[in-house]
Amino acid sequence: MRSKIVAGNWKMNKNLMETEALLSELSAKLPDTDAEVMVAPTFVNLGVAVRHLESSVIEVIAQNMHFAPSGAFTGEISGDMLMSIGVDTVIVGHSERRAYFGETDEILSKKVAAALEKNMRVLFCFGEELEERKSGNHFKVVEEQLKKALFTLDSKSWNQIVLAYEPVWAIGTGETASPEQAQEMHAFIRNTITQAYDSGIANKVSILYGGSVKPNNAKEIFSKPDVDGGLIGGAALVADDFAAIIKAI
Ligand code: 13P
């Protein structure tokens, strides 16, 4: 059975005090669940979040990391630094990193390799843009993104990969992929992995959906057989909403 996961990507939101307040409120409102629950605050508040959630089931994860182990990369954070504060899962490939910070498939493939080298878990994001869907190229685009960043991995490494399909047109727009569109793409992704590897790996990898998941649409999206959870942006910043989404799974 693959894990069900609900992860909150806080992006560049919440200062120190707001982080502590949200974590306290979330801890108090966390529903009983067999899903893994994760939050990704900003780098500066990761240490605080780890300490705050020491005795909680909520896992603290990072939004990004650099591929080099250390060195002259001003402003960057290494996998070793994350591991040293107790963060062993990292989001790689978010569309905002691709769009605003020039992260190419090649860079992402290096980041994945660096994280795996440190024995970290990678939550790998990918998804098509609106024009690509409109022109009917979305399957091709997604397949290429997977191929370039992940299909050079050996089979064993897939134990440390979680996928998050996030159509760019659905991120922060209030426009969600329909549950049918999400299921169609998730099934395609699993099939693509079966072709490249085998069905054992394809059926074991958790595939999350991200893009305007809210309390009122989460249940229907999560009910689809190939959707194993969600990567939540805006709604993860409101404890009641995030708790409701966790409940929905
Ligand atoms: P929204 O839930 O705000 O659309 O963001 C999704 C996302 O980008 C999560 O990584």
Side-chain angles (χ1 to χ4, degrees):
M1 257 271 283
R2 27 178 207 264
S3 343
K4 290 190 177 303
I5 299 171
V6 179
N9 176 8
W10 291 11
K11 308 190 180 184
M12 197 175 74
N13 293 292
K14 305 289 177 190
N15 65 22
L16 173 60
M17 258 134 63
E18 293 162 347
T19 295
E20 291 184 315
L22 179 54
L23 292 175
S24 295
E25 197 183 347
L26 187 60
S27 299
K29 292 179 171 167
L30 191 72
D32 252 355
T33 178
D34 56 5
E36 290 182 57
V37 177
M38 305 173 177
V39 291
T42 65
F43 281 128
V44 285
N45 292 322
L46 281 180
V48 165
V50 167
R51 282 192 290 281
H52 197 106
L53 297 173
E54 222 155 31
S55 54
S56 166
V57 297
I58 304 173
E59 188 191 341
V60 179
I61 70 173
Q63 297 178 18
N64 181 31
M65 64 175 259
H66 195 266
F67 52 76
S70 64
F73 298 100
T74 301
E76 291 294 320
I77 309 278
S78 72
D80 180 62
M81 292 168 185
L82 295 173
M83 289 290 276
S84 73
I85 60 161
V87 172
D88 62 8
T89 298
V90 61
I91 298 173
V92 173
H94 194 280
S95 63
E96 287 148 19
R97 302 289 323 168
R98 295 175 192 255
Y100 309 140
F101 303 99
E103 296 199 0
T104 59
D105 292 313
E106 194 193 351
I107 291 172
L108 297 176
S109 131
K110 285 190 193 175
K111 290 190 175 202
V112 171
L116 294 177
E117 170 78 27
K118 290 302 291 178
N119 219 10
M120 296 176 79
R121 183 146 74 145
V122 173
L123 207 167
F124 186 78
C125 303
F126 56 97
E128 82 283 0
E129 293 180 20
L130 184 58
E131 282 315 309
E132 294 165 336
R133 179 161 280 264
K134 277 189 179 159
S135 61
N137 281 330
H138 45 299
F139 293 117
K140 189 93 206 104
V141 168
V142 160
E143 187 175 349
E144 282 299 304
Q145 289 172 328
L146 287 173
K147 222 183 240 172
K148 287 184 178 149
L150 299 181
F151 284 2
T152 51
L153 297 179
D154 59 23
S155 303
K156 221 175 96 242
S157 298
W158 279 83
N159 291 329
Q160 281 153 258
I161 302 288
V162 173
L163 299 177
Y165 167 60
E166 298 204 305
V168 178
W169 48 271
I171 295 178
T173 58
E175 190 181 341
T176 349
S178 68
E180 292 69 31
Q181 284 173 319
Q183 168 57 28
E184 183 186 35
M185 183 57 90
H186 285 218
F188 171 79
I189 293 162
R190 239 182 262 291
N191 192 40
T192 304
I193 299 169
T194 303
Q195 306 294 321
Y197 291 87
D198 57 58
S199 59
I201 291 178
N203 288 326
K204 238 175 87 183
V205 67
S206 297
I207 309 177
L208 317 185
Y209 167 80
S212 298
V213 177
K214 306 287 176 200
N216 64 5
N217 60 24
K219 198 165 182 170
E220 218 189 325
I221 295 171
F222 294 161
S223 72
K224 294 296 175 190
D226 286 298
V227 178
D228 303 308
L231 183 55
I232 320 298
L237 300 172
V238 180
D240 282 320
D241 289 356
F242 196 54
I245 290 170
I246 295 164
K247 203 162 177 197
I249 205 165

